[in-house]
Amino acid sequence: QLGIPCYYCTGYAQGEHAWNVVYIGGNYYYVDVSWDDGSANPYEFFNVPEEEFLKTHSISGLSGNVFGSLQDR
């Protein structure tokens, strides 16, 4: 409804996991609402740049082909 492209991404984060990648203002950001649930900082994994997000998450499978190094695009 807001016109923000949002993609589903799979990989690992303390086990098999999935999150979203959004494109806002000419940049890609990672969003993991599962990890924000119950966190002391409820926005810790909301609109996180790739280099920071990949410190705790790793992309796998077909998502790696699509989302690997998004910031270089």
Side-chain angles (χ1 to χ4, degrees), residues 34-45:
S34 297
W35 275 34
D36 277 342
D37 185 32
S39 173
N41 175 3
Y43 299 105
E44 186 173 2
F45 294 94

Side-chain angles (χ1 to χ4, degrees), residues 36-59:
D36 277 342
D37 185 32
S39 173
N41 175 3
Y43 299 105
E44 186 173 2
F45 294 94
F46 185 78
N47 291 352
V48 178
E50 180 180 64
E51 62 276 1
E52 186 68 26
F53 193 82
L54 294 181
K55 291 178 182 177
T56 56
H57 295 64
S58 63
I59 301 169

Side-chain angles (χ1 to χ4, degrees), residues 1-19:
Q1 290 178 342
L2 296 175
I4 298 171
C6 180
Y7 307 96
Y8 178 77
C9 186
T10 59
Y12 296 91
Q14 296 182 359
E16 290 186 30
H17 195 58
W19 52 87

Side-chain angles (χ1 to χ4, degrees), residues 12-35:
Y12 296 91
Q14 296 182 359
E16 290 186 30
H17 195 58
W19 52 87
N20 297 99
V21 178
V22 295
Y23 187 72
I24 301 173
N27 295 300
Y28 290 95
Y29 297 97
Y30 290 73
V31 179
D32 188 341
V33 296
S34 297
W35 275 34

